[in-house]
Amino acid sequence: MKREFISAFRSEVWLLARHPATALMIALAAVLYVVAAATSSEVLIMVAGDDPYTLGGAIGFIGNLVDAGDVLDSVARTSFASTVVWIPVTILYAVYATSRDFESVAYAVSRSRGVSQAAIVITKLLVNCTLVGAVYLLSTTALYLTKMAQWDVGASCSGFAQFVSIALMIALLLISMYAATFALYLLTRSVVASSVVAIAVSIFVMVWFPSTYGSGQPSLLLMLSPVYYLMNLCSLSMQNVGVIQVLLYAGGTVLVSVGVALVSLFVRTAVR
């Protein structure tokens, strides 16, 4: 079993290196970095709250607004504002990569050689989720350092540590979004349906959450979407979500997605 997973993992790494979606993901991240680094005007996307200028005073995706009491964290919040673009990018990449992977000759060859569905699903998720998380972290960190230089903000070990901790949580949420979209495609086997459903749900949450913000405990339905956590974390509204909450959500979503993916593949195989 261990040898099977190692072999499948090596195969997925080799396929990812040659996958056109890999180059596309890196190119999109580079373009997003350049655009965000060159933007100096205020960025307010799906924002709700009393005071977006104050850290924690509003939720949403907020950029280039400076809290005079904490300029360094204002840089971090600005760096996270571009995460709103990563939501559709992650979804579309997941659908594109998964559709190509499971309709490819390589998948058929792996099955004919006796590689288990579990090994295929887990290694595909592991490799692609690592790519999504790594590219996000690298581009966001580069943007953070660029904005520090543009705003002439002095470096701080504690400030950078906080930035990294939040960036890691955001990356985990994007990974959970990838995993959920991966499972959704395997359920529907439709590029259009899985893309539209995943993006529509994300947009719905981005509209619904701000409209109900401040009215009390948010709906549990909102908390089932990674967008809810992203809108809190990217605005540094840490009073609304905690590290344990994010870890449990992201980990649970990935586990459920693996289960759904395996069941859908088993049913599809059985029907054939």
Side-chain angles (χ1 to χ4, degrees):
M1 182 65 73
K2 181 179 179 181
R3 182 174 298 177
E4 179 186 43
F5 273 92
I6 292 175
S7 176
F9 178 77
R10 288 175 176 171
S11 176
E12 290 304 322
V13 172
W14 182 78
L15 288 173
L16 187 69
R18 301 175 65 250
H19 209 303
T22 305
L24 182 61
M25 168 68 79
I26 295 172
L28 285 173
V31 170
L32 182 58
Y33 162 77
V34 171
V35 172
T39 301
S40 58
S41 57
E42 295 180 356
V43 176
L44 295 168
I45 303 174
M46 309 313 296
V47 172
D50 297 329
D51 185 9
Y53 279 88
T54 302
L55 291 167
I59 54 93
F61 303 95
I62 304 169
N64 296 320
L65 271 66
V66 180
D67 182 342
D70 195 343
V71 179
L72 188 58
D73 281 344
S74 297
V75 174
R77 184 173 66 171
T78 295
S79 301
F80 296 137
S82 60
T83 304
V84 66
V85 182
W86 278 88
I87 295 172
V89 167
T90 299
I91 290 171
L92 294 175
Y93 171 70
V95 172
Y96 177 62
T98 307
S99 62
R100 280 182 59 94
D101 284 348
F102 283 91
E103 300 300 329
S104 67
V105 174
Y107 172 68
V109 170
S110 296
R111 291 296 293 147
S112 67
R113 291 177 177 175
V115 180
S116 68
Q117 298 279 27
I120 293 173
V121 166
I122 292 173
T123 53
K124 284 186 183 299
L125 273 177
L126 180 60
V127 171
N128 283 285
C129 285
T130 299
L131 174 67
V132 170
V135 174
Y136 174 80
L137 289 172
L138 287 173
S139 63
T140 306
T141 301
L143 182 57
Y144 175 76
L145 296 174
T146 299
K147 287 295 181 180
M148 282 184 65
Q150 289 177 350
W151 293 8
D152 194 23
V153 180
S156 165
C157 290
S158 60
F160 185 71
Q162 180 173 334
F163 163 79
V164 170
S165 64
I166 297 175
L168 285 170
M169 286 191 286
I170 294 173
L172 287 175
L173 290 169
L174 291 175
I175 285 171
S176 72
M177 182 177 287
Y178 181 98
T181 309
F182 174 91
L184 180 61
Y185 172 79
L186 292 179
L187 274 176
T188 63
R189 289 291 174 152
S190 169
V191 169
V192 174
S194 53
S195 300
V196 170
V197 169
I199 291 176
V201 169
S202 297
I203 293 174
F204 178 72
V205 173
M206 279 193 278
V207 173
W208 183 19
F209 184 27
S211 68
T212 59
Y213 183 72
S215 60
Q217 180 66 26
S219 169
L220 290 176
L221 290 176
L222 279 173
M223 299 174 72
L224 291 176
S225 170
V227 175
Y228 165 79
Y229 303 93
L230 289 173
M231 293 179 75
N232 279 292
L233 290 176
C234 290
S235 58
L236 272 66
S237 296
M238 304 303 295
Q239 70 273 18
N240 298 321
V241 297
V243 175
I244 300 301
Q245 188 179 2
V246 171
L247 293 178
L248 288 175
Y249 173 83
T253 300
V254 171
L255 289 176
V256 170
S257 298
V258 169
V260 170
L262 289 175
V263 169
S264 64
L265 287 172
F266 174 79
V267 171
R268 187 178 178 85
T269 302
V271 170
R272 286 181 177 178

